[in-house]
Amino acid sequence: MFVLAIDTANKIGSVALYDDKIGIIGEINLYVKVNHSNVIMNAVDSLFKLSGLTIKDVDRIAVTIGPGSFTGIRIGTAIAKGLAYSLKKPIVGVNELDVLATMGEERDGIIVPLIDARKERVYFSKYRYVENKLVREFEYKDGELREILPEFKGKKVTFIGDGAVVNAKLIDEILENDYVIYSKANSIPRAGVTAQISMDLADDNLYTLEPFYVNKSQAEREKEEREKRK
């Protein structure tokens, strides 16, 4: 089975072709300055040209649905749904925190993916390996990192994601030791991992698959505040 995977949930746009027997056929990761819609389809086209495959070879579409950049998530989901509809292929949505946690293959202790939500806020969850299987221990959340970190004090923790990289000083200030932060290069969510995870997930409904935001956008919060004041 060939999977085309798309990840636009953060500033790094990522696309990959994945074969269930071979693994990753090809992967392109690009820093997106303005808008994912301007580069993702070009990256997909380049991936097919370089791999020698065509869009007709794809059996399934996988896409990260969030959390992360509200705009990026909407764009990636729309592109993936458009491709799945036109190709008449199944689609599956993958959570971005699951992608990061899978990349942090530490078998000892806790894995905590952190996605930067600015001003020391993060999207996060907690995982660990149980009998060589990655298990998520609570729901996907967002919150203030200063309030989150004390829970992990004295525990062996691996942090991964841009939320850990940009807040490294704060993590060190609160935890002091017994933690590892993956490097910036190793904290980029990759579409190849999205594809790999999708192999174990059931197909989603093309028409009901929606972005997963965790919290409301700033525009939505401001709208609610205006309505309260009326």
Side-chain angles (χ1 to χ4, degrees), residues 99-114:
V99 174
L100 285 168
T102 301
M103 291 168 56
E105 293 187 344
E106 302 298 326
R107 293 301 196 270
D108 239 355
I110 302 165
I111 299 172
V112 180
L114 299 175

Side-chain angles (χ1 to χ4, degrees), residues 14-200:
S14 183
V15 296
L17 280 172
Y18 186 94
D19 175 39
D20 61 343
K21 297 181 178 63
I22 298 172
I24 294 177
I25 301 296
E27 184 179 71
I28 296 176
N29 303 301
L30 292 167
Y31 177 76
V32 180
K33 292 182 180 180
V34 182
N35 195 317
H36 287 86
S37 61
N38 296 328
V39 300
I40 288 301
M41 285 310 300
N42 287 333
V44 170
D45 289 341
S46 296
L47 191 60
F48 282 118
K49 288 176 183 176
L50 291 168
S51 66
L53 298 169
T54 72
I55 193 74
K56 293 180 181 179
D57 293 313
V58 173
D59 298 305
R60 198 184 202 200
I61 308 292
V63 61
T64 51
I65 55 173
S69 161
F70 285 76
T71 303
I73 294 165
R74 285 196 298 271
I75 291 170
T77 304
I79 291 172
K81 292 178 75 169
L83 287 170
Y85 179 80
S86 63
L87 295 170
K88 295 181 172 55
K89 299 295 183 180
I91 189 171
V92 59
V94 180
N95 193 284
E96 187 85 325
L97 289 167
D98 291 346
V99 174
L100 285 168
T102 301
M103 291 168 56
E105 293 187 344
E106 302 298 326
R107 293 301 196 270
D108 239 355
I110 302 165
I111 299 172
V112 180
L114 299 175
I115 297 173
D116 183 32
R118 299 182 182 179
K119 298 181 179 179
E120 296 184 356
R121 288 190 68 82
V122 293
Y123 304 110
F124 72 104
S125 193
K126 181 173 74 169
Y127 304 72
R128 72 170 72 242
Y129 277 90
V130 178
E131 296 180 354
N132 288 321
K133 182 179 180 181
L134 187 65
V135 176
R136 178 165 54 87
E137 297 196 333
F138 56 64
E139 67 270 30
Y140 309 110
K141 299 180 180 180
D142 76 303
E144 300 284 345
L145 193 54
R146 286 184 182 274
E147 298 175 2
I148 296 163
L149 287 172
E151 174 188 344
F152 303 111
K153 201 162 187 177
K155 299 175 183 178
K156 187 172 183 180
V157 189
T158 297
F159 295 103
I160 184 169
D162 61 355
V165 174
V166 301
N167 293 296
K169 288 184 179 179
L170 178 59
I171 293 172
D172 186 65
E173 172 191 323
I174 294 175
L175 297 189
E176 297 177 356
N177 52 33
D178 286 335
Y179 71 87
V180 172
I181 297 178
Y182 269 44
S183 69
K184 187 179 294 185
N186 290 320
S187 284
I188 297 169
R190 292 174 41 226
V193 179
T194 300
Q196 177 182 304
I197 293 172
S198 76
M199 303 302 293
D200 296 320

